[in-house]
Amino acid sequence: MTADNDEIVIDQPRDEDAYALDRNIVAAILQAVEDGDRDRLVELMEPLHAADIADLLEQISPQDRSQLLHLYDREFDGDILSELDESVREEVIDELRPDVLAEAVRELESDDVVDLLEDLEHSQQEAVLDALEDSERIAAQKALSYPEHSAGRLMQREVVMVPEHWTVGQTIDYMRAHEDLPDQFYHVVLVDPRLKPVGQVTLGRLMAARRDTPLRDIADEEFHIIPLTQDEEDVAYAFKQYHLISAPVVDDDGRLVGVITIDDAMEVLDDEHEEDMLRMAGVDEDSSLSDTILETARGRATWLFVNLLTAIFASLVINLFTETIDQMVALAVLMPIVASMGGNAGTQTMTVTVRAIATRDLTANNALRVLFREVSVGALNGLFFGLVMAVVAGFWFGVPMLAVVIGLAMVLTLVAAALGGILIPLALDRLNIDPALASGPFVTTVTDVVGFFAFLGLAAQVLL
Amino acid sequence: MTADNDEIVIDQPRDEDAYALDRNIVAAILQAVEDGDRDRLVELMEPLHAADIADLLEQISPQDRSQLLHLYDREFDGDILSELDESVREEVIDELRPDVLAEAVRELESDDVVDLLEDLEHSQQEAVLDALEDSERIAAQKALSYPEHSAGRLMQREVVMVPEHWTVGQTIDYMRAHEDLPDQFYHVVLVDPRLKPVGQVTLGRLMAARRDTPLRDIADEEFHIIPLTQDEEDVAYAFKQYHLISAPVVDDDGRLVGVITIDDAMEVLDDEHEEDMLRMAGVDEDSSLSDTILETARGRATWLFVNLLTAIFASLVINLFTETIDQMVALAVLMPIVASMGGNAGTQTMTVTVRAIATRDLTANNALRVLFREVSVGALNGLFFGLVMAVVAGFWFGVPMLAVVIGLAMVLTLVAAALGGILIPLALDRLNIDPALASGPFVTTVTDVVGFFAFLGLAAQVLL
């Protein structure tokens, strides 16, 4: 492979939209597509990275996408497929001519092929598998037999391994003679005669060492082995926590079967984060900006429906106190304030808790201390905002007891918000339910119900 | 450095709490601390990675932490400091004896020293700087002169560079002779006579090539240069988008001054995620589980206060309709449902928008199409849930016109939620305000005000 200086990208410093697709380039590309000017299109696309081309395809309309793909045709690169969002990817695969698709897929590394395959519909999976050479196809099918989201799916099979008793010189000679080294690798893995990994040497240290140095002497001090079935979220955590660059993957017998590199772990970390963020907001985590309106509406409706049920539940609480409200309509004016403050305080605690569970910062070792802290914070802020609202309500409606009621209700609600915000995610985590997914509705129900009940209930007792 | 097989960690497959600190080990460590048994403590801590020791220190109580540090003393490793949360880190630095601190700091790589220094209070910064050797201190001070959150702070100065016209053989001989190669490096950077980077070669390809191969022939096809002043968020994005492993950093004259590696980029990506997630929930992003109750309460209060203002604003809207509510108390029972559905739909759209802005998936190229999609989704779900609530309200209160009113209000509110959820983050982003930080209160205000106004306003017109 030769260096291609045309593709060197010098980033502009302090550019506000650093790395966003340039509007003018996109416009020029769409113009070329409209004109049917293939040469111009290829010229414009040439400097773009596969990831940027994927972003471009996602951002233009389906009609433009289809036209662009037909014009671009044979130039289409396999890496673009890897970078595409699921929904657009399926569309693109349908658009590509079979031989273009076959060519594109054959360029990919084994882990990228698996990544591509696992999200496809059955018929498209077949089409891609058919495009592969026999050995590649068998390997891909094998990888797909591992559990979804497992290390087995994430790893690449291409791994550089040498016997543990080799020297630096032997290893370098071996690599020189080896035609088929992986595109990217950072370690040489040392294995025992039964192919169990027993250490690894970074290429940098291999470079710097004398030829007669035994590999064992320059092996990494720390070294992590990942089991084939480990969840990819745990894999990503290990890479981040222990600053790994690559790690060997072993099967149930402890034999080396592949390697996971940090770029894949970073991808998982980013996906997991997106998942958490969307789940906490009640958005289907597989959704993307290129989904259709109907798909999107359906994806959002699930959580809106759960929210409707909890909102009706809270309304039933209000319904218990219609007589009280009838006698003092100011209660109807003020009650959403208490519920809103409770909901927000609960969301704060819940978010901190969900994050701390994900980063393993909240464990059985400190759960009690954190619980105590959160409840104290809730009580403290409850007192403060209760006082503020008591003053506001007192002046607004001129009823001193109303001030007392809203103040007390605020304290109770914010303490309940703290309790709900920490105990609900912890309980869900114990039950092996993702706390990011399910905490929201429960916490809001707690804060709404406690908020309305405390405020209206106290009012019924004290005021009437 | 020699391989230390004691430190090899084999992860258990399918372990629910993979990588969480073992409760029994923590208990044994605390027991050793209580017994003042230094040998046992060192023995128990020995297999733990610095990152795990940092987690341990964060999770135990301040008293235990202090005792543990005094007993552990000279064994304290510099890497632990790098891994600690800011608040605990300051405490630990205060606890360490000056010579232990000095020793710990001297072990660190240049980028870790800077990372450590930038978060410290002035007096502690001085203490750490004093512990460094002269050349290290000057370099650290130089790094601190770069803007916060810039590539300059993130990079390590240790970089392996060679003239662009060298061959593989020359490069390998140079590295063999070079005593002081960085601990971790993945590329050799090719520079021109004025030290401008013109390409890079991965170590793997260097290994595999013949000695007489010119470096230029095996240089990476694609190659990213990062300007010293680029924001670290953009740096992390580039690493993720372009699958970089390491990238050279240049000063304003384009001269090579350092290198950023993917593990640092991954750290930034994770920090940015945490920041987005916490900011969207209105939590101070610098907060940690080890902050004091007062610090935490104050951090949370800021956003609760903003929320109080918006809630009072929404209550003012209700206050306009007290007469209407007085005539039909069912309105007070149902109105929180409309506001709650609006708030949730708004949060869904807002979260998708904030995420899409961060990943550069939402740009000027597709903003209009996405806006149209979100509003359509809002209208569709508004119609659906409006219908559902109309039926529920109709049966509940037996007033047909009330059903019509809540149905219409739901459509209006969900459309407003969609508009607010996308336009507010986009506008904030345009104004260079982090949409994750400030969108929440604005969107909730829109949905609350529209929700209450539409429902009560329609009711006042239609019902009375």
Side-chain angles (χ1 to χ4, degrees), chain A residues 230-265:
Chain A
Q230 188 167 71
D231 191 272
E232 60 177 15
E233 192 178 345
D234 293 329
V235 173
Y237 179 81
F239 269 81
K240 197 188 94 61
Q241 174 84 342
Y242 304 118
H243 307 282
L244 310 179
I245 292 295
S246 75
V249 179
V250 296
D251 64 15
D252 289 348
D253 300 326
R255 294 180 352 154
L256 183 64
V257 287
V259 66
I260 294 176
T261 51
I262 186 175
D263 52 322
D264 295 318

Side-chain angles (χ1 to χ4, degrees), chain A residues 113-327:
Chain A
V113 173
V114 174
D115 188 43
L116 182 67
L117 281 168
E118 62 186 357
D119 295 329
L120 291 182
E121 288 167 14
H122 190 71
S123 65
Q124 291 194 323
Q125 262 195 10
E126 292 294 313
V128 170
L129 282 170
D130 285 344
L132 294 172
E133 282 161 37
D134 285 353
S135 65
E136 292 283 321
R137 184 171 52 244
I138 291 163
Q141 281 164 331
K142 172 121 202 222
L144 286 176
S145 72
Y146 301 134
E148 239 188 308
H149 308 299
S150 69
R153 295 274 185 110
L154 207 59
M155 70 181 188
Q156 56 183 55
R157 284 169 308 119
E158 297 87 354
V159 42
V160 181
M161 56 169 127
V162 298
E164 53 180 326
H165 55 76
W166 274 19
T167 64
V168 168
Q170 279 174 298
T171 308
I172 292 180
D173 293 343
Y174 164 78
M175 288 203 279
R176 287 264 159 71
H178 204 67
E179 287 286 296
D180 208 29
L181 289 178
D183 234 36
Q184 299 263 34
F185 71 107
Y186 313 104
H187 286 108
V188 173
V189 182
L190 316 188
V191 291
D192 74 7
R194 282 168 311 167
L195 288 187
K196 289 197 183 188
V198 295
Q200 62 182 12
V201 177
T202 64
L203 295 184
R205 216 169 275 164
L206 200 63
M207 284 279 169
R210 288 164 45 101
R211 279 188 63 91
D212 56 3
T213 313
L215 290 180
R216 275 203 207 93
D217 290 356
I218 54 169
D220 284 357
E221 248 181 280
E222 285 170 58
F223 159 60
H224 256 76
I225 294 175
I226 310 253
L228 202 51
T229 51
Q230 188 167 71
D231 191 272
E232 60 177 15
E233 192 178 345
D234 293 329
V235 173
Y237 179 81
F239 269 81
K240 197 188 94 61
Q241 174 84 342
Y242 304 118
H243 307 282
L244 310 179
I245 292 295
S246 75
V249 179
V250 296
D251 64 15
D252 289 348
D253 300 326
R255 294 180 352 154
L256 183 64
V257 287
V259 66
I260 294 176
T261 51
I262 186 175
D263 52 322
D264 295 318
M266 189 171 182
E267 197 76 36
V268 171
L269 192 80
D270 194 54
D271 288 347
E272 292 289 334
H273 176 74
E274 176 162 291
E275 194 180 284
D276 276 0
M277 191 167 174
L278 294 179
R279 280 182 169 180
M280 285 189 71
V283 180
D284 182 6
E285 72 262 19
D286 293 326
S287 67
S288 92
L289 284 189
S290 29
D291 287 347
T292 66
I293 291 170
L294 210 66
E295 283 166 353
T296 310
R298 207 182 311 136
R300 305 270 175 90
T302 318
W303 155 240
L304 286 176
F305 188 74
V306 174
N307 182 63
L308 184 68
L309 295 181
T310 73
I312 291 177
F313 190 61
S315 288
L316 289 172
V317 175
I318 303 175
N319 201 41
L320 297 175
F321 299 97
T322 44
E323 258 180 65
T324 320
I325 295 172
D326 248 344
Q327 288 172 46

Side-chain angles (χ1 to χ4, degrees), chain A residues 29-49:
Chain A
I29 287 173
L30 290 179
Q31 187 61 48
V33 170
E34 202 182 302
D35 299 343
D37 188 343
R38 186 175 142 77
D39 293 343
R40 176 92 182 117
L41 175 67
V42 172
E43 182 194 331
L44 285 164
M45 301 276 271
E46 218 265 302
L48 297 183
H49 187 283

Side-chain angles (χ1 to χ4, degrees), chain A residues 97-119:
Chain A
R97 285 196 291 127
D99 57 326
V100 174
L101 176 63
E103 176 87 22
V105 171
R106 269 190 227 119
E107 290 164 11
L108 295 174
E109 299 265 311
S110 61
D111 55 338
D112 291 331
V113 173
V114 174
D115 188 43
L116 182 67
L117 281 168
E118 62 186 357
D119 295 329

Side-chain angles (χ1 to χ4, degrees), chain B residues 279 425-439 442:
Chain B
R279 280 183 169 180
L426 277 177
L428 290 169
D429 185 51
R430 266 288 166 92
L431 298 170
N432 272 327
I433 300 169
D434 182 355
L437 181 64
S439 293
F442 290 113

Side-chain angles (χ1 to χ4, degrees), chain A residues 325 328-338 396-397 406 455, chain B residues 311-312 314-322 325 332 335 452:
Chain A
I325 295 172
M328 185 183 265
V329 74
L331 295 175
V333 175
L334 293 176
M335 68 184 186
I337 298 180
V338 179
W396 191 348
F397 294 99
I406 198 166
F455 181 56
Chain B
I312 290 176
S315 289
L316 289 173
V317 175
I318 303 175
N319 200 41
L320 297 175
F321 298 98
T322 44
I325 294 172
M335 68 184 186
F452 290 134

Side-chain angles (χ1 to χ4, degrees), chain A residues 427-440:
Chain A
L428 289 170
D429 186 51
R430 266 290 164 93
L431 298 171
N432 272 325
I433 300 170
D434 182 354
L437 181 65
S439 294

